[in-house]
Amino acid sequence: MSSVVVDNYSFRSREEVLKYIELNPEKLGLEELTKIAEMANCNKQNSAAFYTENATLMDISARLPEINEDTVRVLEPSAGVGNFLQLIVDHYSNSRKLIIDLVDIDEMSLKLLVALNKYRKIPDNVEINCICSDFLLTDFSHTYDLVIGNPPFLRLNKAERRRYESALGGESTKNTAGFFLTKAISIADYCVFVMPKYFLSNSDFSESRKNVERHAVQCIIDFGETGFRGVLIETVALFICTRSELGVTTVYSVPRVEKIEQMQKNIMSHEFPGWLIYRNDTFDELVARMELGVFSVFRDRQITNKVLSRAGEIRVIRSRNIARDGSGLVDVCDYDRFINESDLKRMPVGEYLDRDDVYLCPNMTYYPRVIRKPKGVVPNGSVAILERLRPMCISDEQLDFFASKAFENYYRIARNHSTRSLNIDSSSVYFFGLLKNAVDYHNRR
């Protein structure tokens, strides 16, 4: 119904959406009206304002902490049109007084939120304060029992980072969500945040992860791609208690329908470049047999389809050109592509053309086979170049291992069973380790 309304009314502005919600001519319920408010937000790409699915909210609600106080204070720092509001009210309105501060940088979102409140069930003991402000630049005079929300996932430029770094005492991250999480932890007894799943391992969030690791992460829900409607991004929810000792972290996987009890110190071990929420004994046993951190990675970002042709001077290796069993390169009809030498000379990847001392591995896959790169070819961005960090010889047996089922299962855990953000980068290349008993350092290259 909501999509039909948006199509029929052809809203030209959010002001028109607000007027529609206030009048509600079709007598729609809260869920449909909220969808209309979301669908008509033409600014959401710029503000990274994507809204949370009802099923996701229910999963979060079932695991919210109990707060035994007469007055409960809750803050939502990126409230949008109030998707979390009813959840908060339903869970904590049994206290004598519930104070909810709703912050958003977008004034129109808050106006829509207030209009939608007419259709929400809000008891008399609930006080709601709407604050139009940048959460990261706002001073709060008291600590909250709970800070909860879905912060914007927005990569920042240098000027934006410096402004927030200064406001937050030097904390550095390249993503707005990292700044939100750091500030939330500093003003809350308990923090529940929906974060992009790449928070678990991406170098952009390395300092943010360190801040979180000092506190008890009591639960992590892995939503996979189910968290947002129509958005190809994986998310997790972090449940962080700043007043408890570190102990067990319960990991729930929505896509895998799985619950795991993990020791927090194990999944956040500094032995690895990121968190490993599905770490298990099989993974640890294989790690004990491997030497990790032996490669650096290079990935081309300039060979586009515009410079490729079906015939040419230099063959361009793409992911399907690497045999599934890791046995070498294969020709693929109507798939193989070439590049002219004049175009390649302008690109950094051209430096690898005549090298055969590096290795190739397909990107964005859970079937990570590795082959030696032959001279006279270059890969495009669908294939990563692995370069040894120190002189060593790598045996055929080792290359066979990279294509094995054992390595595939290990690698899935190393990547937290992600379905996206699978590019081989400076963090994930660490897991392409060498088996200690399969490396011949003398006879093979």
Side-chain angles (χ1 to χ4, degrees), residues 161-173 179 182 207:
R161 291 206 305 269
R162 289 195 195 100
R163 182 168 59 135
Y164 290 137
E165 285 170 4
S166 176
L168 296 176
E171 158 71 13
S172 179
T173 180
F179 282 121
T182 295
E207 288 196 31

Side-chain angles (χ1 to χ4, degrees), residues 60-76:
I60 291 173
S61 177
R63 295 166 179 87
L64 285 178
E66 296 304 318
I67 301 173
N68 299 313
E69 302 288 345
D70 286 342
T71 299
V72 175
R73 287 184 174 271
V74 179
L75 168 68
E76 186 179 353

Side-chain angles (χ1 to χ4, degrees), residues 58-322:
M58 294 301 295
D59 282 331
I60 291 173
S61 177
R63 295 166 179 87
L64 285 178
E66 296 304 318
I67 301 173
N68 299 313
E69 302 288 345
D70 286 342
T71 299
V72 175
R73 287 184 174 271
V74 179
L75 168 68
E76 186 179 353
S78 52
V81 298
N83 287 43
F84 277 86
L85 180 54
Q86 193 65 58
L87 175 155
I88 298 168
V89 170
D90 291 345
H91 203 86
Y92 296 111
S93 60
N94 59 345
S95 58
R96 185 180 62 83
K97 188 171 184 62
L98 172 60
I99 301 173
I100 306 173
D101 290 344
L102 302 172
V103 179
D104 202 281
I105 199 169
D106 182 10
E107 183 178 8
M108 182 51 68
S109 287
L110 292 177
K111 287 182 179 180
L112 289 165
L113 184 156
V114 171
L116 289 166
N117 280 354
K118 182 170 69 172
Y119 309 97
R120 294 186 171 108
K121 299 175 182 178
I122 302 176
D124 292 338
N125 66 324
V126 178
E127 174 186 325
I128 297 175
N129 304 305
C130 291
I131 305 166
C132 185
S133 180
D134 186 334
F135 168 70
L136 298 177
L137 302 178
T138 303
D139 292 327
F140 296 92
S141 58
H142 46 258
T143 298
Y144 288 88
D145 297 296
L146 172 67
V147 177
I148 181 172
N150 162 29
F153 309 162
L154 194 63
R155 212 167 192 271
L156 300 169
N157 60 40
K158 288 184 179 180
E160 292 168 329
R161 291 206 305 269
R162 289 195 195 100
R163 182 168 59 135
Y164 290 137
E165 285 170 4
S166 176
L168 296 176
E171 158 71 13
S172 179
T173 180
K174 295 180 181 179
N175 196 296
T176 310
F179 282 121
F180 266 71
L181 183 57
T182 295
K183 181 159 186 175
I185 290 172
S186 72
I187 60 172
D189 289 342
Y190 213 103
C191 177
V192 176
F193 260 26
V194 177
M195 296 289 286
K197 188 171 177 177
Y198 54 80
F199 170 85
L200 301 175
S201 58
N202 191 287
S203 60
D204 286 359
F205 290 106
S206 56
E207 288 196 31
S208 302
R209 287 196 299 272
K210 289 178 183 177
N211 286 332
V212 173
E213 289 166 7
R214 294 196 290 264
H215 306 288
V217 180
Q218 297 179 340
C219 176
I220 299 174
I221 305 177
D222 178 5
F223 294 111
E225 297 183 41
T226 68
F228 293 97
R229 184 188 309 114
V231 183
L232 300 179
I233 187 171
E234 294 181 272
T235 54
V236 295
L238 306 179
F239 293 69
I240 305 162
C241 182
T242 64
R243 299 290 183 263
S244 298
E245 298 293 325
L246 275 61
V248 173
T249 300
T250 303
V251 177
Y252 296 92
S253 171
V254 174
R256 295 167 60 81
V257 193
E258 183 178 24
K259 173 184 174 181
I260 308 171
E261 300 286 341
Q262 302 274 43
M263 294 303 298
Q264 179 175 334
K265 64 180 182 180
N266 288 341
I267 65 176
M268 300 177 189
S269 170
H270 291 172
E271 178 185 358
F272 306 104
W275 296 359
L276 300 177
I277 62 176
Y278 296 106
R279 184 177 177 181
N280 60 22
D281 290 343
T282 302
F283 177 90
D284 287 347
E285 289 168 4
L286 191 53
V287 166
R289 298 169 51 205
M290 298 171 70
E291 179 184 1
L292 303 181
V294 297
F295 291 109
S296 63
V297 63
F298 173 87
R299 186 163 61 90
D300 168 74
R301 299 177 187 274
Q302 293 182 308
I303 297 181
T304 63
N305 289 334
K306 289 182 179 180
V307 298
L308 294 178
S309 59
R310 293 179 181 272
E313 299 166 341
I314 298 168
R315 186 180 184 184
V316 175
I317 304 304
R318 300 193 290 168
S319 58
R320 288 173 56 194
N321 291 127
I322 299 178

Side-chain angles (χ1 to χ4, degrees), residues 27-43:
K27 306 299 180 185
L28 301 178
L30 174 63
E31 184 175 354
E32 292 296 330
L33 291 172
T34 301
K35 288 179 181 178
I36 291 169
E38 295 170 359
M39 293 169 66
N41 181 8
C42 58
N43 188 47

